[in-house]
Amino acid sequence: MLAPPVTGAPWAPNMPLPGSSKENSREFRRSRRHRTALCLLGGAVASHRLCSQRAAVRTRRRIRELAAVRTDEATSRFVTWMDSSSIKRSAKLEILPDKEGRCVVCTQRFDRGELLVQLPAAAAISVEMSPEAPLTPELKALEPWWRKHPRSSIRLAAKLVFQREQFGPYIDMLYPLEQIYAPWRWKEQDLQFLPQSLVLKAQARKEALEAAYQDLEQEGLSDAIPEDLFLRAHHAVASRAFAGEGEVPSSRAAALAVGGLSIFAAGSAAALGVTSVDFAAMAGAALMAASGAVVVTSQSPQVLSLLPMIDQVNHRSGAPPDLQFDPTNGLWQLRATRAYEPGEEIVFSYGDKDSDALLLQHGFVEEDNGADQLRLMVPEAGSFGLSAEVKSELAEAGIEELCFDGSLEKLPVSKRSLTEVVEATLRCAAGDCRRSEDAKVAQEVSSPGIGRVLLCWRGERRKLLKAAATQWQVEDLIAEIED
């Protein structure tokens, strides 16, 4: 059938319907706008739903991809060993490969306060931190060497390796030597790119470890404690051990004491200027008790402990671990400090550490670290515009280092002297981390891993230097840093 002939002008959307009044035309437009708004709202809801679905798909895909390569032999043995040692981890957790090692990832949602790991005290490896602490019977063969080396960090490393028949699967999870990027493992060609203050600390740790192992060899213990395992174990102790009040009885039925417990990641007192792992552990435990974070009721000795599975959790600035010891049942319990979604990595803070402390102790640097601060050695008189007069004034006040944490104005020197030394110190430091030198650094270091860590450290140092240059109005320095 043919359509009837059209008479008059054709209707367009912005025209009133034929025969409609002006009021009807307004009503139609309002109705049209309402329908349009509903369509837009419906589209937004559909788009949001689609985004959420895509995010869920991405999360599930990431978990599947990680799970497909997660079960290396070391991890499989470690999981079996944990089961036999009554170490319980939530079924929602997986140990997965990371860029440089492993990480702990949740496969299902975690709520805040939910139990992550439960570790019986007998599965911890601990030593008393007192130099005069008696040796337990199972370590009797180490007695002459033990008396000669009072550092608990070195003792704990030796104890772990000496008992490797019991803790072998845990030792297999430690970083291999070629993936330890702490500067005590660096070669001279790598150390040239660090400030002398950091080089000296790295060399001191290396010398202490070399001396400790030479004595192990002289005591005929090199077979019982191979050097590569000793160094790997020491890195684990220096970077992941915990300290607190407890006891190390001869029977390992309970590794830590009843009563209150003060606990923290060993070395977290580095922010207080403590550089020794042992002193940091003692200072940190005392600090936590003094702060009221934990009420200590026992008179137990200080101990340094490795806590398998708990120490698989990586560092990120923020909340410290929610780690408690139940003395009645002899159990360590690690709980989630916040809610986690599927695919997220479980993390906690090893302590408020700046980039220098993280590099020296752990061998990594965190980008945009909220705890980062700039500590610089004062240059020699006559360099970078620092006069002998001002250098002498600083020496009389015992000032060899500047910390740009907001306290410089309180130093007992004149304002003119402070301005001069700050500018000279910043100019001295800027020459060591120019952006234009990054390519040379990457080319000359001994390994790509060290190169990645060193370039990250240089990048974070530049951020701090630029912030300090802006604050102290040495703004021409920013162009020099970015050159």
Side-chain angles (χ1 to χ4, degrees):
M1 178 182 296
L2 295 175
V6 176
T7 58
W11 178 81
N14 60 348
M15 295 174 59
L17 288 171
S20 65
S21 66
K22 192 174 182 179
E23 288 75 12
N24 286 341
S25 177
R26 288 199 197 98
E27 185 62 32
F28 173 77
R29 286 197 296 270
R30 281 196 297 269
S31 175
R32 185 159 58 91
R33 285 196 297 269
H34 180 66
R35 287 195 301 273
T36 303
L38 286 176
C39 289
L40 291 174
L41 178 60
V45 171
S47 176
H48 174 73
R49 185 181 298 115
L50 182 60
C51 289
S52 299
Q53 290 171 349
R54 287 174 176 169
V57 169
R58 284 196 299 269
T59 297
R60 288 194 295 270
R61 185 188 301 129
R62 179 170 182 265
I63 293 172
R64 284 197 303 270
E65 289 170 351
L66 291 171
V69 292
R70 75 175 184 270
T71 48
D72 60 278
E73 291 184 8
T75 301
S76 297
R77 288 194 299 269
F78 180 58
V79 169
T80 301
W81 175 79
M82 283 196 293
D83 293 340
S84 66
S85 302
S86 301
I87 300 173
K88 297 180 180 180
R89 78 184 196 283
S90 169
K92 302 177 185 179
L93 294 181
E94 290 283 359
I95 303 173
L96 303 177
D98 199 359
K99 294 177 183 177
E100 298 291 351
R102 298 179 180 88
C103 59
V104 179
V105 175
C106 62
T107 57
Q108 300 177 44
R109 177 181 167 82
F110 265 103
D111 293 324
R112 181 179 180 181
E114 193 170 345
L115 183 66
L116 301 173
V117 181
Q118 182 170 279
L119 176 84
I125 310 102
S126 305
V127 295
E128 287 189 25
M129 296 180 67
S130 169
E132 294 78 27
L135 200 64
T136 51
E138 69 271 18
L139 302 177
K140 200 69 176 175
L142 301 180
E143 187 168 12
W145 177 88
W146 197 270
R147 287 199 304 267
K148 191 173 181 180
H149 293 277
R151 286 190 179 183
S152 56
S153 56
I154 289 178
R155 286 179 172 181
L156 183 53
K159 177 179 179 178
L160 173 62
V161 179
F162 188 74
Q163 295 182 322
R164 68 182 182 277
E165 185 174 336
Q166 180 179 355
F167 295 101
Y170 171 67
I171 293 174
D172 290 343
M173 295 291 284
L174 304 181
Y175 278 95
L177 287 179
E178 62 271 16
Q179 290 184 7
I180 296 175
Y181 302 133
W184 63 268
R185 288 284 302 156
W186 293 12
K187 298 178 180 178
E188 290 296 326
Q189 69 193 79
D190 307 319
L191 292 173
Q192 66 173 315
F193 298 111
L194 286 181
Q196 189 64 15
S197 58
L198 299 188
V199 171
L200 293 175
K201 292 175 182 178
Q203 290 175 336
R205 177 167 292 186
K206 182 178 181 180
E207 290 168 3
L209 288 171
E210 288 175 346
Y213 196 76
Q214 285 173 3
D215 289 342
L216 282 171
E217 289 180 319
Q218 290 177 1
E219 294 292 337
L221 294 168
S222 57
D223 289 337
I225 305 176
E227 184 176 14
D228 63 327
L229 294 184
F230 174 71
L231 295 178
R232 290 170 63 193
H234 181 269
H235 177 67
V237 173
S239 60
R240 296 186 178 233
F242 294 82
E245 286 203 345
E247 60 186 17
V248 187
S250 56
S251 68
R252 301 186 68 256
L256 293 173
V258 298
L261 181 70
S262 154
I263 186 71
F264 78 112
S268 63
L272 305 178
V274 182
T275 55
S276 160
V277 173
D278 298 68
F279 286 128
M282 295 289 281
L287 176 68
M288 287 209 52
S291 70
V294 179
V295 178
V296 179
T297 58
S298 71
Q299 297 300 317
S300 303
Q302 296 290 331
V303 297
L304 192 65
S305 302
L306 287 167
L307 306 179
M309 186 56 201
I310 292 173
D311 60 16
Q312 293 296 312
V313 178
N314 289 325
H315 165 82
R316 188 169 301 162
S317 294
D322 181 358
L323 180 61
Q324 303 293 330
F325 182 67
D326 176 2
T328 304
N329 298 306
L331 294 173
W332 293 95
Q333 293 183 333
L334 178 67
R335 296 184 179 275
T337 56
R338 63 173 178 84
Y340 285 92
E341 296 300 326
E344 278 195 88
E345 181 182 359
I346 305 295
V347 292
F348 55 64
S349 173
Y350 292 175
D352 290 338
K353 302 183 184 182
D354 60 23
S355 292
D356 291 354
L358 287 175
L359 178 65
L360 284 171
Q361 194 167 351
H362 302 276
F364 66 81
V365 176
E366 183 181 13
E367 291 187 21
D368 299 319
N369 176 7
D372 212 356
Q373 59 181 347
L374 188 62
R375 291 178 179 271
L376 300 174
M377 297 299 296
V378 175
E380 295 298 321
S383 61
F384 302 98
L386 183 63
S387 66
E389 177 188 357
V390 171
K391 180 71 174 180
S392 176
E393 184 181 355
L394 293 168
E396 289 178 6
I399 300 170
E400 298 178 349
E401 180 184 69
L402 300 184
C403 181
F404 291 78
D405 60 355
S407 63
L408 287 179
E409 291 85 350
K410 300 177 184 178
L411 293 179
V413 295
S414 68
K415 186 174 182 180
R416 184 189 67 81
S417 297
L418 179 60
T419 301
E420 182 178 315
V421 70
V422 164
E423 181 171 346
T425 303
L426 289 175
R427 293 192 183 283
C428 177
D432 294 331
C433 62
R434 290 190 182 95
R435 188 180 296 276
S436 59
E437 297 291 318
D438 282 357
K440 176 186 176 183
V441 171
Q443 227 173 12
E444 295 188 9
V445 292
S446 61
S447 79
I450 291 175
R452 286 192 297 274
V453 172
L454 187 51
L455 289 179
C456 186
W457 178 85
R458 288 169 62 87
E460 297 307 301
R461 173 61 67 97
R462 280 195 289 269
K463 292 176 187 177
L464 296 174
L465 283 171
K466 288 191 289 185
T470 301
Q471 178 186 354
W472 288 89
Q473 299 179 350
V474 194
E475 297 186 5
D476 65 298
L477 194 64
I478 295 177
E480 181 181 343
I481 295 169
E482 291 296 336
D483 179 22

